[in-house]
Amino acid sequence: MPLPTAELPYVRLTYRPDLRILFMRWTRLVSSQEHKTGYMQGLNFAREHQVGHWLVDLRTRGLAETEDFKWVLQEFWPQMQQALPGTSFRIAYLVTPYHQELINSRLIAEDKMFRSFIEEKDAYQWLGAPMATIS
């Protein structure tokens, strides 16, 4: 059975029901508008599958500009909470070692819901996926 997916030219969304994780894999650098559109597409996809645990892969795209990252925290995050009431939320950012220190400095006050990782396995553990099903 194929996994539920949605795709834009710059981001691929996949829902893994066995892990209860939405995978958001950016495939290239994006503009500010594409950044927002990608996250809103992700929210629509998450609402459809009632999933609040996301793995956002930024390794190909790199980090968002400061203003776009503020948008995620200040505007997108409340929309996500409103769209999925009663849902547990965690967003794991998968980044390169080069970007981890910078993203961590941006996430200091948000560490309960957002974390950055270099290894996918560590992100899965934090998101609560059972390790036996991860290969």
Side-chain angles (χ1 to χ4, degrees):
M1 179 170 169
L3 295 174
T5 59
E7 198 159 343
L8 294 171
Y10 45 85
V11 68
R12 183 178 309 111
L13 304 166
T14 306
Y15 175 57
R16 289 271 314 262
D18 58 328
L19 302 177
R20 298 216 23 88
I21 296 174
L22 183 150
F23 291 82
M24 175 183 253
R25 297 199 189 270
W26 296 92
T27 58
R28 65 167 170 82
L29 294 172
V30 295
S31 68
S32 182
Q33 185 56 51
E34 290 170 331
H35 170 85
K36 291 175 182 174
T37 300
Y39 269 91
M40 295 309 294
Q41 180 72 24
L43 182 57
N44 291 335
F45 197 69
R47 185 183 301 124
E48 180 182 337
H49 299 286
Q50 292 296 296
V51 60
H53 289 196
W54 294 25
L55 186 133
V56 181
D57 189 344
L58 299 175
R59 294 174 298 182
T60 300
R61 186 192 96 174
L63 301 184
E65 295 296 326
T66 303
E67 289 304 311
D68 291 329
F69 195 74
K70 285 182 184 176
W71 175 85
V72 170
L73 298 177
Q74 296 171 358
E75 294 183 41
F76 176 76
W77 179 241
Q79 290 179 43
M80 187 175 180
Q81 292 173 309
Q82 186 176 29
L84 296 162
T87 301
S88 163
F89 295 103
R90 285 194 170 183
I91 296 181
Y93 287 107
L94 193 58
V95 297
T96 64
Y98 177 79
H99 288 124
Q100 192 171 38
E101 187 176 332
L102 177 58
I103 196 168
N104 285 346
S105 71
R106 293 177 176 180
L107 292 172
I108 289 172
E110 311 297 334
D111 67 12
K112 292 182 183 173
M113 303 297 169
F114 299 89
R115 287 243 172 103
S116 72
F117 299 89
I118 295 170
E119 300 288 334
E120 279 197 47
K121 186 182 265 189
D122 296 334
Y124 294 150
Q125 285 179 316
W126 183 72
L127 290 168
M131 293 308 295
T133 63
I134 298 170
S135 52

